[in-house]
Amino acid sequence: MATSIVEKSARNARATTKREQREASTERILASALTLFVSKGYRSTTVDDIARACELTKGAVYFYFPSKATILLALLDEIEDLMVSKRVARVS
């Protein structure tokens, strides 16, 4: 079963290697963006809002995602993966 963004962000405190730190930062960005997109809406959410929410700099957010649109696309990819794995589980 796929791990949700919220579950992944709970593991962020244990990140030790550079790779784990990158994954943790990406997960924090996605979790924060999801919360903000749902509460404020996509258009009303800025990259500054996302950076503040995940306690990273705006530059760090742009390091991982070149635009707010790519953050949304990454979230949609995760949702798609979750839906597909649920369908596969039903069929199996």
Side-chain angles (χ1 to χ4, degrees), residues 29-59:
I29 292 167
L30 292 175
S32 297
L34 178 61
T35 300
L36 290 166
F37 291 164
V38 169
S39 64
K40 292 177 66 173
Y42 174 78
R43 292 184 129 204
S44 297
T45 301
T46 65
V47 174
D48 281 325
D49 294 333
I50 296 168
R52 241 181 275 115
C54 65
E55 299 177 345
L56 292 172
T57 65
K58 187 175 176 180

Side-chain angles (χ1 to χ4, degrees), residues 2 5-7 10 14-15 19 22 25 30-31 33-34 37 40 42-43 46 59-61 65 73 78 81 84-85 92:
I5 295 168
V6 176
E7 290 169 340
R14 297 186 302 257
R19 182 178 184 191
R22 275 188 227 111
S25 293
L30 292 175
L34 178 61
F37 291 164
K40 292 177 66 173
Y42 174 78
R43 292 184 129 204
T46 65
V61 174
F65 298 96
L73 291 173
E78 287 201 10
D81 291 345
V84 167
S85 52
S92 300

